[in-house]
Coordinates of all heavy atoms in Angstrom, one line a residue:
I1 N 21.3 -22.8 -17.0 CA 21.4 -22.5 -15.7 C 22.5 -21.4 -15.5 O 23.6 -21.4 -16.2 CB 21.9 -23.7 -14.8 CG1 20.8 -24.7 -15.0 CG2 22.2 -23.3 -13.5 CD1 21.2 -26.1 -14.4
I2 N 22.3 -20.3 -14.8 CA 23.2 -19.2 -14.4 C 23.5 -19.3 -12.9 O 22.6 -19.1 -12.1 CB 22.7 -17.9 -14.8 CG1 22.3 -17.9 -16.3 CG2 23.8 -16.8 -14.5 CD1 21.6 -16.6 -16.7
N3 N 24.8 -19.6 -12.6 CA 25.2 -19.8 -11.2 C 26.6 -19.7 -11.1 O 27.3 -20.1 -12.1 CB 24.7 -21.0 -10.6 CG 24.6 -21.1 -9.0 OD1 24.8 -20.0 -8.4 ND2 24.3 -22.1 -8.4
K4 N 27.2 -19.2 -10.0 CA 28.7 -19.2 -9.8 C 29.2 -20.6 -9.6 O 30.4 -20.8 -9.7 CB 29.1 -18.2 -8.7 CG 28.8 -16.8 -9.2 CD 29.4 -15.8 -8.1 CE 29.2 -14.4 -8.5 NZ 29.6 -13.5 -7.5
Q5 N 28.4 -21.5 -9.0 CA 28.8 -22.8 -8.6 C 28.1 -24.0 -9.4 O 27.1 -23.6 -10.0 CB 28.5 -23.0 -7.1 CG 29.2 -22.0 -6.3 CD 28.8 -22.2 -4.8 OE1 27.9 -23.0 -4.5 NE2 29.5 -21.5 -3.9
K6 N 28.7 -25.1 -9.4 CA 28.0 -26.2 -9.9 C 26.7 -26.5 -9.3 O 26.5 -26.2 -8.1 CB 28.9 -27.5 -9.8 CG 29.9 -27.6 -10.8 CD 30.8 -28.8 -10.8 CE 31.7 -29.1 -11.8 NZ 32.4 -30.3 -11.8
T7 N 25.7 -27.0 -10.0 CA 24.4 -27.3 -9.3 C 24.2 -28.9 -9.7 O 24.8 -29.5 -10.6 CB 23.3 -26.6 -9.9 OG1 22.9 -26.9 -11.2 CG2 23.6 -25.0 -9.7
Q8 N 23.1 -29.4 -9.0 CA 22.7 -30.8 -9.3 C 22.1 -30.9 -10.6 O 21.9 -32.0 -11.1 CB 21.8 -31.3 -8.1 CG 20.6 -30.6 -8.0 CD 19.9 -30.8 -6.8 OE1 20.2 -31.8 -6.1 NE2 18.8 -30.3 -6.3
Y9 N 21.7 -29.8 -11.3 CA 21.0 -29.9 -12.5 C 21.9 -29.5 -13.6 O 21.4 -29.5 -14.9 CB 19.8 -28.8 -12.5 CG 18.8 -29.2 -11.3 CD1 18.9 -28.3 -10.2 CD2 18.1 -30.2 -11.3 CE1 18.1 -28.5 -9.1 CE2 17.2 -30.5 -10.1 CZ 17.2 -29.7 -9.0 OH 16.4 -29.9 -8.0
D10 N 23.1 -29.3 -13.5 CA 24.0 -28.9 -14.6 C 24.0 -29.9 -15.7 O 24.0 -29.6 -17.0 CB 25.3 -28.8 -14.1 CG 25.7 -27.5 -13.3 OD1 24.7 -26.7 -13.3 OD2 26.8 -27.4 -12.8
S11 N 23.9 -31.3 -15.5 CA 23.9 -32.2 -16.6 C 22.6 -32.3 -17.3 O 22.5 -32.8 -18.4 CB 24.2 -33.7 -15.9 OG 23.1 -34.0 -15.0
M12 N 21.6 -31.7 -16.8 CA 20.3 -31.7 -17.5 C 20.1 -30.5 -18.3 O 19.2 -30.4 -19.2 CB 19.1 -31.8 -16.6 CG 19.0 -33.1 -15.8 SD 17.6 -33.3 -14.8 CE 18.1 -32.3 -13.3
S13 N 20.9 -29.4 -18.1 CA 20.8 -28.1 -18.8 C 21.4 -28.1 -20.3 O 22.4 -28.8 -20.4 CB 21.3 -27.1 -17.9 OG 22.8 -27.1 -18.1
S14 N 20.8 -27.4 -21.1 CA 21.4 -27.4 -22.4 C 22.4 -26.0 -22.4 O 23.1 -25.9 -23.4 CB 20.3 -27.0 -23.5 OG 19.4 -26.1 -23.1
L15 N 22.3 -25.2 -21.6 CA 23.2 -24.0 -21.5 C 23.6 -23.8 -20.0 O 22.7 -23.6 -19.2 CB 22.4 -22.7 -22.1 CG 23.2 -21.4 -22.0 CD1 24.7 -21.6 -22.8 CD2 22.4 -20.3 -22.5
R16 N 24.9 -23.6 -19.8 CA 25.4 -23.5 -18.4 C 26.3 -22.2 -18.4 O 27.2 -22.3 -19.1 CB 26.1 -24.7 -18.1 CG 26.6 -24.7 -16.6 CD 25.5 -24.6 -15.6 NE 26.0 -24.6 -14.2 CZ 26.1 -23.4 -13.6 NH1 25.9 -22.4 -14.2 NH2 26.6 -23.5 -12.3
I17 N 26.0 -21.3 -17.6 CA 26.7 -20.1 -17.5 C 27.3 -19.9 -16.1 O 26.4 -19.8 -15.2 CB 26.0 -18.8 -17.9 CG1 25.5 -18.9 -19.4 CG2 26.9 -17.5 -17.8 CD1 24.5 -17.9 -19.9
F18 N 28.6 -19.9 -15.9 CA 29.2 -19.7 -14.6 C 29.4 -18.2 -14.4 O 30.6 -17.7 -14.8 CB 30.5 -20.5 -14.5 CG 30.1 -22.0 -14.3 CD1 30.3 -22.8 -15.4 CD2 30.0 -22.6 -13.1 CE1 30.1 -24.1 -15.3 CE2 29.7 -23.9 -13.0 CZ 29.8 -24.8 -14.1
A19 N 28.5 -17.5 -13.8 CA 28.7 -16.0 -13.6 C 27.6 -15.6 -12.7 O 26.7 -16.3 -12.3 CB 28.5 -15.4 -15.0
D20 N 27.8 -14.3 -12.3 CA 26.7 -13.7 -11.4 C 25.4 -13.4 -12.3 O 25.5 -12.7 -13.3 CB 27.4 -12.4 -11.0 CG 26.5 -11.6 -10.0 OD1 26.1 -12.1 -9.0 OD2 26.1 -10.5 -10.5
I21 N 24.3 -13.6 -11.7 CA 23.1 -13.5 -12.4 C 22.8 -12.0 -12.8 O 22.3 -11.7 -13.9 CB 21.9 -14.0 -11.7 CG1 20.6 -14.0 -12.4 CG2 21.6 -13.4 -10.4 CD1 20.5 -14.9 -13.6
N22 N 23.2 -11.1 -11.9 CA 23.0 -9.6 -12.2 C 23.9 -9.2 -13.4 O 23.3 -8.4 -14.2 CB 23.4 -8.8 -11.0 CG 22.3 -8.9 -9.9 OD1 21.2 -9.4 -10.1 ND2 22.8 -8.8 -8.6
A23 N 25.1 -9.7 -13.5 CA 25.9 -9.3 -14.7 C 25.4 -9.9 -15.9 O 25.3 -9.1 -17.0 CB 27.3 -9.9 -14.4
V24 N 24.9 -11.2 -15.9 CA 24.4 -11.7 -17.1 C 23.1 -11.1 -17.5 O 22.8 -10.8 -18.8 CB 24.1 -13.2 -16.8 CG1 23.3 -13.9 -18.1 CG2 25.4 -14.0 -16.6
M25 N 22.2 -10.7 -16.6 CA 21.0 -10.1 -17.0 C 21.2 -8.6 -17.4 O 20.5 -8.2 -18.4 CB 20.0 -10.1 -15.8 CG 19.4 -11.5 -15.5 SD 18.4 -12.1 -16.8 CE 19.3 -13.4 -17.3
T26 N 22.1 -8.0 -17.0 CA 22.6 -6.5 -17.3 C 23.1 -6.7 -18.8 O 22.5 -5.8 -19.7 CB 23.6 -6.0 -16.5 OG1 23.1 -5.9 -15.2 CG2 23.9 -4.6 -17.0
M27 N 23.9 -7.6 -19.1 CA 24.4 -7.9 -20.5 C 23.2 -8.2 -21.4 O 23.1 -7.7 -22.5 CB 25.4 -8.9 -20.5 CG 26.8 -8.3 -19.9 SD 28.1 -9.5 -20.1 CE 27.8 -10.7 -19.0
L28 N 22.3 -9.1 -21.0 CA 21.3 -9.4 -21.8 C 20.3 -8.3 -22.1 O 19.9 -8.1 -23.2 CB 20.4 -10.6 -21.1 CG 19.2 -11.1 -21.9 CD1 19.7 -11.8 -23.3 CD2 18.5 -12.1 -21.1
C29 N 19.9 -7.5 -21.1 CA 19.2 -6.3 -21.3 C 19.9 -5.3 -22.3 O 19.1 -4.7 -23.2 CB 18.9 -5.5 -20.0 SG 17.8 -6.4 -18.9
S30 N 21.1 -5.2 -22.2 CA 21.8 -4.3 -23.1 C 21.9 -4.8 -24.5 O 21.5 -4.0 -25.5 CB 23.3 -4.2 -22.6 OG 24.0 -3.5 -23.6
E31 N 22.0 -6.1 -24.7 CA 21.9 -6.7 -26.0 C 20.5 -6.6 -26.7 O 20.4 -6.4 -27.8 CB 22.3 -8.1 -25.9 CG 22.5 -8.9 -27.3 CD 23.7 -8.3 -28.1 OE1 24.7 -7.8 -27.5 OE2 23.6 -8.4 -29.2
L32 N 19.5 -6.7 -25.8 CA 18.2 -6.7 -26.4 C 17.6 -5.2 -26.3 O 16.4 -5.0 -26.7 CB 17.2 -7.6 -25.5 CG 17.5 -9.0 -25.5 CD1 16.7 -9.7 -24.5 CD2 17.3 -9.6 -27.0
E33 N 18.4 -4.3 -26.0 CA 18.1 -2.8 -25.8 C 17.0 -2.7 -24.9 O 16.0 -1.8 -25.2 CB 17.9 -2.3 -27.3 CG 19.2 -2.3 -28.0 CD 18.9 -1.8 -29.5 OE1 17.9 -1.5 -29.9 OE2 20.0 -1.8 -30.2
I34 N 16.9 -3.3 -23.9 CA 15.9 -3.2 -22.8 C 16.5 -2.4 -21.7 O 17.6 -2.6 -21.2 CB 15.3 -4.5 -22.3 CG1 14.8 -5.3 -23.4 CG2 14.5 -4.4 -21.0 CD1 14.5 -6.8 -22.9
P35 N 15.9 -1.3 -21.1 CA 16.5 -0.7 -20.0 C 16.7 -1.5 -18.8 O 15.9 -2.3 -18.5 CB 15.3 0.4 -19.7 CG 14.3 0.4 -20.7 CD 14.6 -0.9 -21.5
V36 N 17.8 -1.4 -18.2 CA 18.1 -2.1 -17.0 C 17.4 -1.6 -15.8 O 17.6 -0.3 -15.5 CB 19.7 -2.1 -16.7 CG1 20.0 -2.9 -15.6 CG2 20.4 -2.7 -18.0
P37 N 16.7 -2.4 -15.2 CA 15.9 -1.8 -14.0 C 16.9 -1.4 -12.8 O 17.9 -2.2 -12.7 CB 15.0 -3.0 -13.5 CG 15.1 -4.0 -14.6 CD 16.3 -3.6 -15.4
V38 N 16.6 -0.4 -12.1 CA 17.3 0.1 -11.0 C 16.7 -0.6 -9.8 O 15.6 -0.6 -9.6 CB 17.1 1.6 -10.7 CG1 17.8 2.1 -9.6 CG2 17.5 2.4 -12.0
P39 N 17.8 -1.2 -9.0 CA 17.3 -2.1 -8.0 C 16.9 -1.2 -6.9 O 17.3 -0.1 -6.6 CB 18.7 -2.9 -7.5 CG 19.8 -2.2 -8.3 CD 19.2 -1.4 -9.4
T40 N 15.8 -1.7 -6.2 CA 15.2 -0.9 -5.1 C 15.9 -1.3 -3.7 O 16.1 -2.5 -3.5 CB 13.7 -1.2 -4.9 OG1 13.0 -0.9 -6.2 CG2 13.1 -0.6 -3.8
T41 N 16.3 -0.4 -3.0 CA 16.9 -0.6 -1.7 C 16.0 -0.4 -0.6 O 15.4 0.5 -0.5 CB 18.1 0.4 -1.4 OG1 19.1 0.2 -2.5 CG2 18.8 0.1 -0.2
Y42 N 15.8 -1.4 0.2 CA 14.8 -1.3 1.2 C 15.6 -1.1 2.6 O 16.4 -1.8 3.0 CB 14.0 -2.7 1.5 CG 13.2 -3.0 0.2 CD1 13.6 -4.0 -0.6 CD2 12.0 -2.4 0.1 CE1 12.9 -4.3 -1.8 CE2 11.3 -2.7 -1.2 CZ 11.8 -3.7 -1.9 OH 11.0 -4.1 -3.0
T43 N 15.2 0.1 3.1 CA 15.9 0.6 4.4 C 14.9 0.9 5.3 O 13.7 1.3 5.0 CB 16.7 1.8 4.1 OG1 16.0 2.7 3.6 CG2 17.9 1.4 3.1
A44 N 15.3 0.9 6.6 CA 14.4 1.3 7.8 C 14.2 2.7 7.6 O 15.1 3.5 7.4 CB 15.0 0.8 9.1
S45 N 12.9 3.2 7.8 CA 12.7 4.6 7.8 C 13.3 5.3 9.0 O 13.6 4.7 10.1 CB 11.3 5.0 7.7 OG 10.6 4.6 8.9
A46 N 13.5 6.5 9.2 CA 14.0 7.2 10.2 C 13.2 7.1 11.5 O 13.8 7.3 12.5 CB 14.2 8.8 9.8
C47 N 12.0 6.9 11.4 CA 11.1 6.8 12.6 C 11.0 5.4 13.2 O 10.5 5.2 14.2 CB 9.7 7.3 12.2 SG 8.8 6.2 11.1
C48 N 11.7 4.4 12.4 CA 11.6 3.0 12.7 C 12.8 2.5 13.2 O 13.8 2.9 12.8 CB 11.0 2.2 11.6 SG 9.3 2.7 11.1
R49 N 12.8 1.3 13.9 CA 13.9 0.5 14.2 C 14.6 -0.1 13.0 O 13.9 -0.1 11.9 CB 13.7 -0.6 15.2 CG 13.1 0.0 16.5 CD 12.8 -1.1 17.5 NE 12.2 -2.2 17.1 CZ 10.9 -2.5 17.0 NH1 10.0 -1.6 17.5 NH2 10.3 -3.6 16.6
S50 N 15.8 -0.5 13.1 CA 16.4 -1.2 12.0 C 15.8 -2.5 11.4 O 16.1 -3.0 10.4 CB 17.9 -1.5 12.3 OG 18.0 -2.4 13.3
D51 N 14.9 -3.2 12.3 CA 14.3 -4.4 11.9 C 12.8 -4.2 11.5 O 12.1 -5.1 11.3 CB 14.4 -5.3 13.0 CG 13.9 -4.9 14.4 OD1 13.5 -3.7 14.5 OD2 14.1 -5.6 15.4
V52 N 12.3 -2.9 11.2 CA 11.1 -2.6 10.7 C 11.3 -1.8 9.4 O 11.9 -0.8 9.3 CB 10.2 -1.7 11.8 CG1 8.9 -1.3 11.2 CG2 10.1 -2.4 13.0
Y53 N 10.6 -2.4 8.3 CA 10.8 -1.8 7.0 C 9.6 -1.2 6.4 O 8.5 -1.9 6.6 CB 11.4 -2.8 6.1 CG 12.8 -3.4 6.5 CD1 12.9 -4.4 7.4 CD2 14.0 -2.6 6.0 CE1 14.1 -4.7 7.8 CE2 15.3 -3.2 6.3 CZ 15.3 -4.1 7.3 OH 16.6 -4.5 7.7
I54 N 9.6 -0.1 5.8 CA 8.5 0.4 5.1 C 8.6 0.1 3.5 O 9.6 0.6 2.9 CB 8.3 1.9 5.3 CG1 8.2 2.3 6.8 CG2 7.0 2.4 4.5 CD1 7.1 1.6 7.5
L55 N 7.9 -0.8 3.1 CA 8.0 -1.2 1.6 C 7.1 -0.4 0.6 O 6.0 -0.1 1.0 CB 7.7 -2.7 1.4 CG 8.4 -3.7 2.4 CD1 8.0 -5.1 2.1 CD2 9.9 -3.5 2.1
P56 N 7.6 0.0 -0.5 CA 7.0 0.9 -1.4 C 5.8 0.1 -2.0 O 5.8 -1.1 -2.1 CB 7.9 1.3 -2.5 CG 9.0 0.2 -2.5 CD 9.1 -0.3 -1.0
L57 N 4.7 0.9 -2.5 CA 3.6 0.3 -3.2 C 3.9 0.4 -4.7 O 4.5 1.3 -5.1 CB 2.3 1.0 -2.8 CG 1.9 0.9 -1.4 CD1 0.7 1.8 -1.2 CD2 1.5 -0.5 -1.0
Y58 N 3.2 -0.5 -5.4 CA 3.3 -0.5 -6.9 C 2.0 -0.5 -7.5 O 1.1 -1.2 -6.9 CB 4.2 -1.7 -7.3 CG 5.7 -1.6 -7.0 CD1 6.1 -2.1 -5.7 CD2 6.5 -1.0 -7.8 CE1 7.3 -2.0 -5.3 CE2 7.9 -1.0 -7.4 CZ 8.3 -1.4 -6.2 OH 9.5 -1.3 -5.8
D59 N 1.7 0.2 -8.6 CA 0.4 0.1 -9.2 C 0.3 -1.1 -10.1 O 1.1 -2.0 -10.2 CB 0.2 1.4 -10.0 CG 1.1 1.6 -11.3 OD1 1.7 0.6 -11.7 OD2 1.3 2.8 -11.7
K60 N -0.9 -1.2 -10.7 CA -1.3 -2.3 -11.5 C -0.3 -2.6 -12.7 O -0.2 -3.7 -13.2 CB -2.7 -2.1 -12.1 CG -3.7 -2.2 -11.1 CD -5.1 -2.1 -11.8 CE -6.2 -2.0 -10.7 NZ -7.5 -1.8 -11.3
T61 N 0.4 -1.5 -13.3 CA 1.4 -1.7 -14.3 C 2.8 -2.1 -13.8 O 3.7 -2.4 -14.5 CB 1.5 -0.5 -15.1 OG1 2.0 0.5 -14.3 CG2 0.0 0.0 -15.6
G62 N 2.9 -2.0 -12.5 CA 4.2 -2.5 -11.8 C 5.1 -1.4 -11.6 O 6.2 -1.4 -11.1
A63 N 4.6 -0.1 -11.9 CA 5.3 1.3 -11.6 C 5.2 1.5 -10.1 O 4.1 1.3 -9.5 CB 4.6 2.3 -12.4
R64 N 6.3 2.1 -9.6 CA 6.3 2.4 -8.2 C 5.3 3.6 -7.9 O 5.3 4.5 -8.6 CB 7.7 2.8 -7.8 CG 7.8 3.0 -6.3 CD 9.2 3.1 -5.9 NE 9.4 3.4 -4.4 CZ 10.5 3.3 -3.8 NH1 11.5 2.9 -4.4 NH2 10.6 3.7 -2.6
S65 N 4.5 3.5 -6.8 CA 3.6 4.5 -6.6 C 4.1 5.4 -5.6 O 4.8 5.0 -4.6 CB 2.3 3.7 -6.0 OG 1.4 4.7 -5.5
D66 N 3.8 6.7 -5.7 CA 4.3 7.6 -4.7 C 3.2 8.2 -3.6 O 3.1 9.4 -3.3 CB 4.9 9.0 -5.4 CG 6.2 8.6 -6.2 OD1 6.9 7.7 -5.8 OD2 6.3 9.3 -7.2
S67 N 2.4 7.3 -3.3 CA 1.4 7.6 -2.5 C 1.9 7.7 -0.9 O 3.0 7.4 -0.7 CB 0.2 6.4 -2.5 OG 0.8 5.3 -2.1
A68 N 0.9 8.2 -0.1 CA 1.4 8.4 1.2 C 2.0 7.1 1.9 O 1.5 6.1 1.7 CB 0.3 8.9 2.0
D69 N 2.8 7.3 2.8 CA 3.6 6.2 3.6 C 2.5 5.5 4.5 O 2.7 4.2 4.6 CB 4.7 6.6 4.5 CG 6.0 6.9 3.8 OD1 6.1 6.6 2.6 OD2 6.9 7.6 4.2
N70 N 1.5 6.0 4.8 CA 0.5 5.4 5.7 C -0.2 4.2 4.9 O -0.8 3.3 5.5 CB -0.5 6.3 6.3 CG -1.4 7.0 5.3 OD1 -1.0 6.9 4.0 ND2 -2.4 7.7 5.8
N71 N -0.2 4.3 3.6 CA -0.7 3.2 2.7 C 0.4 2.0 2.3 O 0.0 1.1 1.8 CB -1.3 3.7 1.5 CG -2.5 4.5 1.8 OD1 -3.2 4.2 2.7 ND2 -2.7 5.6 1.0
A72 N 1.6 2.3 2.7 CA 2.8 1.4 2.4 C 2.7 0.3 3.2 O 2.1 0.3 4.3 CB 4.1 2.2 2.3
T73 N 3.3 -0.8 2.7 CA 3.4 -2.1 3.6 C 4.6 -1.9 4.6 O 5.7 -1.6 4.4 CB 3.7 -3.3 2.6 OG1 2.7 -3.3 1.6 CG2 3.8 -4.5 3.4
R74 N 4.1 -2.3 5.8 CA 5.2 -2.2 7.0 C 5.5 -3.7 7.2 O 4.6 -4.5 7.5 CB 4.5 -1.6 8.2 CG 5.4 -1.5 9.3 CD 4.6 -0.6 10.5 NE 5.4 -0.6 11.7 CZ 5.3 -1.4 12.7 NH1 4.3 -2.4 12.6 NH2 6.0 -1.4 13.8
L75 N 6.8 -4.0 7.2 CA 7.3 -5.3 7.4 C 8.2 -5.2 8.7 O 9.2 -4.6 8.8 CB 8.2 -5.7 6.2 CG 8.8 -7.1 6.4 CD1 7.8 -8.2 6.5 CD2 9.7 -7.4 5.3
D76 N 7.5 -5.8 9.7 CA 8.2 -6.0 11.1 C 9.0 -7.3 11.3 O 8.3 -8.3 11.5 CB 7.3 -5.7 12.2 CG 7.8 -5.4 13.5 OD1 9.0 -5.8 13.7 OD2 7.2 -5.2 14.4
L77 N 10.2 -7.2 11.2 CA 11.2 -8.4 11.4 C 11.7 -8.5 12.8 O 12.8 -9.1 12.9 CB 12.2 -8.6 10.3 CG 11.6 -8.5 8.9 CD1 12.8 -8.6 7.9 CD2 10.7 -9.8 8.7
S78 N 11.2 -7.8 13.7 CA 11.6 -7.9 15.1 C 11.6 -9.4 15.6 O 10.9 -10.2 15.3 CB 10.8 -7.1 16.0 OG 10.7 -5.7 15.5
V79 N 12.5 -9.5 16.7 CA 12.6 -10.8 17.3 C 11.2 -11.1 18.0 O 10.5 -10.1 18.5 CB 13.7 -10.8 18.5 CG1 13.7 -12.2 19.2 CG2 14.9 -10.6 17.7
N80 N 10.8 -12.3 17.9 CA 9.4 -12.8 18.5 C 8.2 -12.2 17.7 O 7.0 -12.3 18.3 CB 9.3 -12.5 19.9 CG 10.3 -13.3 20.7 OD1 10.7 -14.5 20.4 ND2 10.9 -12.7 21.8
R81 N 8.4 -11.6 16.5 CA 7.2 -11.2 15.7 C 6.8 -12.3 14.8 O 7.7 -13.1 14.3 CB 7.6 -9.9 14.9 CG 7.8 -8.7 15.7 CD 6.8 -8.2 16.5 NE 5.6 -7.7 15.7 CZ 4.5 -7.2 16.1 NH1 4.3 -7.0 17.3 NH2 3.8 -6.8 15.1
R82 N 5.6 -12.4 14.6 CA 5.2 -13.4 13.7 C 5.0 -12.8 12.2 O 4.4 -11.7 12.0 CB 3.8 -13.8 14.0 CG 3.8 -14.6 15.4 CD 2.4 -15.2 15.8 NE 2.6 -16.5 16.2 CZ 1.6 -17.4 16.2 NH1 0.5 -17.1 15.8 NH2 1.9 -18.6 16.7
V83 N 5.4 -13.7 11.3 CA 5.4 -13.2 9.8 C 4.6 -14.3 9.2 O 4.9 -15.5 9.2 CB 6.6 -13.1 9.2 CG1 6.7 -12.8 7.6 CG2 7.5 -12.0 10.0
R84 N 3.6 -13.9 8.4 CA 2.8 -14.9 7.6 C 3.1 -14.6 6.1 O 2.8 -13.6 5.7 CB 1.2 -14.7 7.9 CG 0.4 -15.8 7.2 CD -1.0 -15.8 7.5 NE -1.6 -14.5 7.5 CZ -2.8 -14.2 8.0 NH1 -3.5 -15.1 8.4 NH2 -3.2 -13.0 7.9
L85 N 3.4 -15.7 5.4 CA 3.7 -15.6 4.1 C 2.5 -16.1 3.2 O 2.1 -17.3 3.6 CB 5.1 -16.3 3.7 CG 6.2 -15.8 4.4 CD1 7.4 -16.6 3.9 CD2 6.4 -14.4 4.1
N86 N 2.1 -15.4 2.3 CA 0.8 -15.8 1.6 C 1.2 -16.1 0.1 O 1.9 -15.2 -0.4 CB -0.4 -15.0 1.7 CG -0.9 -14.8 3.1 OD1 -1.0 -15.7 3.9 ND2 -1.2 -13.7 3.6
Q87 N 0.6 -16.9 -0.6 CA 0.7 -17.1 -1.9 C 0.0 -15.9 -2.6 O -1.1 -15.5 -2.3 CB 0.2 -18.4 -2.5 CG 0.3 -18.6 -4.0 CD -0.2 -20.0 -4.3 OE1 -0.7 -20.7 -3.5 NE2 -0.1 -20.4 -5.7
G88 N 0.6 -15.3 -3.7 CA 0.1 -14.3 -4.2 C -1.0 -14.6 -5.4 O -1.4 -15.8 -5.4
G89 N -1.7 -13.6 -5.9 CA -2.7 -13.9 -6.9 C -4.0 -13.7 -6.2 O -4.2 -13.3 -5.2
K90 N -5.1 -14.0 -7.0 CA -6.4 -13.8 -6.6 C -6.8 -14.8 -5.6 O -6.4 -15.9 -5.7 CB -7.4 -13.8 -7.8 CG -7.2 -12.7 -8.8 CD -8.1 -12.8 -9.9 CE -7.8 -11.7 -10.9 NZ -8.8 -11.8 -12.1
S91 N -7.6 -14.4 -4.5 CA -8.1 -15.5 -3.6 C -9.3 -16.0 -4.1 O -10.0 -15.6 -5.0 CB -8.4 -14.7 -2.3 OG -9.4 -13.6 -2.5
N92 N -9.5 -17.3 -3.7 CA -10.6 -18.1 -4.2 C -11.9 -17.7 -3.4 O -12.0 -17.4 -2.4 CB -10.3 -19.6 -4.0 CG -9.3 -20.1 -4.9 OD1 -9.0 -19.4 -6.0 ND2 -8.4 -21.1 -4.4

C-alpha cells in the first residue's frame, strides 16, 4: 500500500510505503528505466466556460491523437447538467 496516511488495510499488506504515489511511481520508473509519463492537464478551451472541458482523444495504442477538436470528447460539468458514467470495455 502506498499512501501518506494509515489505511484500514495496513495490517493485511506485506509492504507499506508512507509517501506520495507520484513520487514512488517516478522513482520506480527510473529504477526500471521506463520513461516517466508526462501528466495531461485538462483545461477549458478559450471558447468555452471554465466548467466545460475538451478532452483529448487517444488511439488504440494509447497514444494521444492530434485529430480535429470536433472529434474530441466534450465534458460539461455545469450546474444542473447531467453526467452519465458508463463502464468501459466492449458492449454486450
Side-chain angles (χ1 to χ4, degrees):
I1 297 174
I2 303 171
N3 198 7
K4 290 182 177 182
Q5 300 177 352
K6 285 185 172 183
T7 73
Q8 61 188 354
Y9 304 107
D10 287 356
S11 61
M12 295 184 278
S13 68
S14 57
L15 176 63
R16 181 67 180 92
I17 301 173
F18 288 94
D20 178 67
I21 186 71
N22 291 332
V24 173
M25 290 295 116
T26 299
M27 289 187 283
L28 180 62
C29 286
S30 176
E31 188 67 27
L32 296 174
E33 298 179 354
I34 299 172
V36 177
V38 177
T40 301
T41 302
Y42 298 103
T43 57
S45 71
C47 67
C48 301
R49 299 184 316 267
S50 63
D51 49 3
V52 178
Y53 297 87
I54 306 301
L55 304 178
L57 294 176
Y58 294 88
D59 65 19
K60 292 179 182 178
T61 66
R64 190 170 175 166
S65 173
D66 292 328
S67 64
D69 279 345
N70 60 352
N71 291 328
T73 300
R74 182 174 173 265
L75 179 61
D76 187 348
L77 299 177
S78 304
V79 174
N80 295 324
R81 294 295 296 186
R82 294 182 137 200
V83 176
R84 180 174 51 187
L85 303 177
N86 297 322
Q87 181 177 357
K90 296 179 180 178
S91 58
N92 295 332

